[in-house]
Amino acid sequence: MHSIPHIFHYGEHRLTIEIALSLCSGETKGVLTSSAIQRIDASRAAVDEIVDRQLTVYGINTGFGSLCTTRISGDQVRQLQHNILKSHSVGTGPPIPLEIAKMMLILKVQSLSYGYSGICLTTLERILWHIEQEIIPLVPSQGSVGASGDLAPLSHLFLPLIGGGKCWYKDKWTDTAEILKQEGKEPLSLDSKEGLALINGTQFMAAFGVNIVDRLFNCLQHADIISAMMIEALLGSRNPFQPELHNLRPYGGNQEVARRIFRLLDNSEILHSHLNCGKVQDPYSLRCIPQVHGASRNAWQHLREMIEVELNSVTDNPLIFSADHTISGGNFHGQPIALPMDYATLAAAEIGNISDRRIYLSLLGESEGLPKLLMKHTGLNSGFMLVQYTSAALVSENKSLCYPASADSIPTSLGQEDHVSMGAISGRKALQVIENVERILAIELLCASQAFDYRRPLKSSSALEACHHHIRQHIDHVEEDRVFSDDIDLAYKIIQGKMLRKLTEPFLSHQPSGETS
């Protein structure tokens, strides 16, 4: 487990997925230390020296993008920073979730606190005020091409600094000017370089990446638990999960999934009841769970590593090492995280794909003791037939979302920005796919729990019995048709609540018995 500090030092402590989420929830407080402030002030002083000496540096005294050769006079460099926030606020579409907008603020503070951006301390302090007071800017979901970073979303994120845009305030969207009036604060007057430092970067993509890592991991953990329940319900074998098999093909994700399911099935009466049933092997959606779930875990691990590099990086442009040493480069380009987010989208979709196959298996009535469509009196009742229609629809929708956004690039800024990552689209659709997978798993949870009931009076392992008991506290067994949409929503909330993970954790740490089927 990664330790979560109560106080996080921006620009000095390493930011992990867990710490970022803890900062966003308010459980951890982020602060600027004296050493961070010294770095920030030194970088600001270097920018002031560039202006005073009239050195030509992109974005400080030149125009932006294709206007990089246009020189800006000394008395206009501050107006230039206000103009860039306004002109680049071109986002459209519904607002992103508040927690992702807040995450963007947190990630931007971390990046600026390293002291290479020329930001003023007062500007960073105002961003921290927005975070601490939960006054979160409205950020439209569409408009970023992922290079030069997330220009449009970040412009909307920081419009409130100069009194523009809207923020979530007292449970509604409110004009920032009105909020500042109520809070007794004045809009900031941005200094040279500040506007560009604020809007150049990958914080939109990275904030989505943090949520993708968190929610995909929750899907992976639940997929193992629910599929173990389905193995029991369908009288599946434990043999494909034995460690010696996976030691011969030692992918880390595969081995972890096999280990988890092997232990989740430990000391099961249901498993023991069919030890000598004569069945040779199970369908792939049961037998190949380690290979499929494991491959998705491997993709998740790769994404986690890439996102955590991004969380601890400086991604604006140009970067200020000293007044005489500035570099105009491409650290804002989203390609390093766009590719793994697309990979994670495919990994998530496959978890839903194989889940739907197990749902379908459970409805066939071919496993001894299970009624067709998981209900005893069908004909008058349709049973669980239609819930699989929904999982099929969600799986199909996910397939249409699996085309990698990062495979595309459209030139922008009159050709100056001639290759872009489209990573913002990668992030947005990855979360859409993951939400669909959460609902597919909710449907499998319903079917597995219903099928589980037909194995009585036999009991499963202690871990799976605890899970089944928790599910039945919220969703009843059913023998007559009802509005299954309500049950799907309840199952979805169980997955979001993560209680099944907590219930199984104690059983996953002990040494399992060697009994197999």
Side-chain angles (χ1 to χ4, degrees):
M1 287 291 292
H2 296 264
S3 60
I4 308 296
H6 295 296
I7 301 293
F8 178 80
H9 296 164
Y10 283 111
E12 296 183 21
H13 287 167
R14 184 174 185 273
L15 194 55
T16 65
I17 300 295
E18 290 80 8
I19 294 173
L21 291 168
S22 184
L23 284 164
C24 200
S25 69
E27 296 172 20
T28 295
K29 179 180 174 62
V31 299
L32 295 173
T33 63
S34 57
S35 56
I37 291 171
Q38 288 175 3
R39 291 194 304 270
I40 292 162
D41 287 343
S43 179
R44 180 65 236 167
V47 172
D48 291 338
E49 184 180 345
I50 289 168
V51 174
D52 292 342
R53 292 168 55 189
Q54 298 185 15
L55 303 175
T56 301
V57 177
Y58 171 73
I60 295 178
N61 44 31
T62 76
F64 307 113
S66 61
L67 301 173
C68 62
T69 58
T70 302
R71 182 68 184 241
I72 306 298
S73 63
D75 60 342
Q76 294 178 317
V77 292
R78 289 177 178 82
Q79 184 61 44
L80 177 68
Q81 304 309 312
H82 285 244
N83 287 352
I84 192 175
L85 282 180
K86 295 174 183 177
S87 67
H88 287 54
S89 293
V90 293
T92 189
I96 64 174
L98 286 172
E99 63 269 19
I100 295 183
K102 184 179 180 183
M103 184 68 72
M104 290 175 67
L105 293 172
I106 291 165
L107 301 187
K108 178 57 85 171
V109 173
Q110 174 76 345
S111 182
L112 296 176
S113 296
Y114 287 112
Y116 294 95
S117 303
I119 202 80
C120 290
L121 179 60
T122 51
T123 303
L124 269 180
E125 288 173 338
R126 178 60 65 87
I127 299 172
L128 287 170
W129 176 79
H130 275 274
I131 294 169
E132 291 162 4
Q133 299 301 316
E134 298 280 347
I135 300 174
I136 309 303
L138 186 154
V139 179
S141 55
Q142 295 169 293
S144 174
V145 295
S148 300
D150 295 308
L151 293 172
L154 286 168
S155 297
H156 286 278
L157 188 73
F158 293 119
L159 265 181
L161 298 181
I162 60 172
K166 294 178 182 287
C167 293
W168 189 255
Y169 181 70
K170 296 181 179 178
D171 298 323
K172 64 179 181 179
W173 293 116
T174 305
D175 287 337
T176 303
E178 177 61 27
I179 296 170
L180 294 179
K181 182 179 178 181
Q182 290 191 35
E183 292 290 324
K185 290 189 175 295
E186 294 293 327
L188 298 182
S189 179
L190 297 180
D191 214 328
S192 51
K193 173 69 167 64
E194 287 200 278
L196 187 59
L198 290 168
I199 74 166
N200 230 326
T202 60
Q203 284 73 37
F204 181 89
M205 289 177 273
F208 270 87
V210 170
N211 280 57
I212 293 164
V213 170
D214 181 51
R215 289 177 67 176
L216 179 53
F217 183 69
N218 191 48
C219 284
L220 292 167
Q221 298 294 82
H222 278 93
D224 291 348
I225 295 165
I226 297 167
S227 64
M229 291 182 66
M230 195 64 92
I231 290 166
E232 289 283 72
L234 298 176
L235 302 181
S237 173
R238 195 189 189 196
N239 277 333
F241 308 96
Q242 294 191 70
E244 56 266 37
L245 175 68
H246 297 280
N247 289 341
L248 297 178
R249 197 188 188 199
Y251 291 106
N254 302 30
Q255 290 178 310
E256 174 66 5
V257 171
R259 181 192 70 82
R260 285 167 54 80
I261 294 182
F262 194 75
R263 294 189 176 191
L264 287 171
L265 297 173
D266 199 33
N267 294 319
S268 163
E269 290 181 3
I270 298 173
L271 190 73
H272 184 75
S273 72
H274 60 93
L275 283 177
N276 300 307
C277 63
K279 189 196 302 185
V280 176
Q281 56 187 16
D282 294 322
Y284 286 1
S285 61
L286 300 180
R287 191 183 357 144
C288 297
I289 289 170
Q291 290 78 13
V292 178
H293 289 196
S296 294
R297 274 186 184 267
N298 294 332
W300 168 83
Q301 182 62 38
H302 178 59
L303 176 64
R304 179 193 176 96
E305 292 169 0
M306 297 300 101
I307 293 297
E308 289 195 344
V309 170
E310 198 74 5
L311 301 189
N312 298 282
S313 298
V314 181
T315 58
D316 61 290
N317 178 64
L319 298 182
I320 312 299
F321 296 87
S322 71
D324 295 307
H325 186 199
T326 64
I327 299 177
S328 184
N331 274 11
F332 49 71
H333 202 292
Q335 198 81 354
I337 58 174
L339 294 179
M341 285 196 293
D342 280 332
Y343 180 19
T345 301
L346 181 60
E350 281 302 289
I351 292 296
N353 204 342
I354 195 171
S355 175
D356 174 69
R357 293 299 80 214
R358 292 190 294 265
I359 293 166
Y360 190 87
L361 274 181
S362 72
L363 304 183
L364 293 175
E366 294 178 356
S367 181
E368 182 181 346
L370 284 190
K372 187 179 293 186
L373 300 174
L374 292 176
M375 199 176 284
K376 291 178 181 176
H377 305 294
T378 50
L380 177 63
N381 295 297
S382 295
F384 284 70
M385 181 194 305
L386 270 296
V387 297
Q388 193 269 327
Y389 283 37
T390 301
S391 71
L394 292 169
V395 165
S396 183
E397 182 177 317
N398 280 351
K399 290 175 183 177
S400 71
L401 292 168
C402 278
Y403 182 85
S406 57
D408 186 32
S409 177
I410 298 176
T412 57
S413 194
L414 307 183
Q416 176 73 11
E417 297 161 10
D418 55 354
H419 181 280
V420 296
S421 74
M422 300 300 181
I425 301 171
S426 301
R428 285 172 41 233
K429 68 187 186 69
L431 270 190
Q432 185 177 348
V433 167
I434 288 168
E435 181 165 338
N436 288 344
V437 171
E438 290 167 344
R439 296 185 186 280
I440 295 165
L441 290 172
I443 292 169
E444 186 182 2
L445 184 147
L446 288 181
C447 293
S449 301
Q450 180 80 359
F452 218 72
D453 292 333
Y454 292 119
R455 296 303 172 201
R456 299 302 186 218
L458 296 175
K459 289 190 174 183
S460 182
S461 66
S462 297
L464 297 183
E465 286 292 334
C467 291
H468 185 257
H469 176 72
H470 178 76
I471 295 162
R472 284 289 171 255
Q473 287 181 315
H474 299 273
I475 306 169
D476 295 331
H477 179 84
V478 56
E479 287 296 347
E480 294 181 352
D481 284 347
R482 63 191 187 203
V483 179
F484 281 110
S485 179
D486 296 338
D487 292 339
I488 295 170
D489 288 342
L490 288 170
Y492 177 68
K493 289 176 182 176
I494 289 172
I495 289 172
Q496 287 186 313
K498 303 179 182 179
M499 182 54 70
L500 300 187
R501 287 169 56 181
K502 295 175 184 176
L503 290 171
T504 55
E505 281 172 6
F507 300 98
L508 291 170
S509 59
H510 75 281
Q511 185 64 36
S513 69
E515 184 179 82
T516 61
S517 169

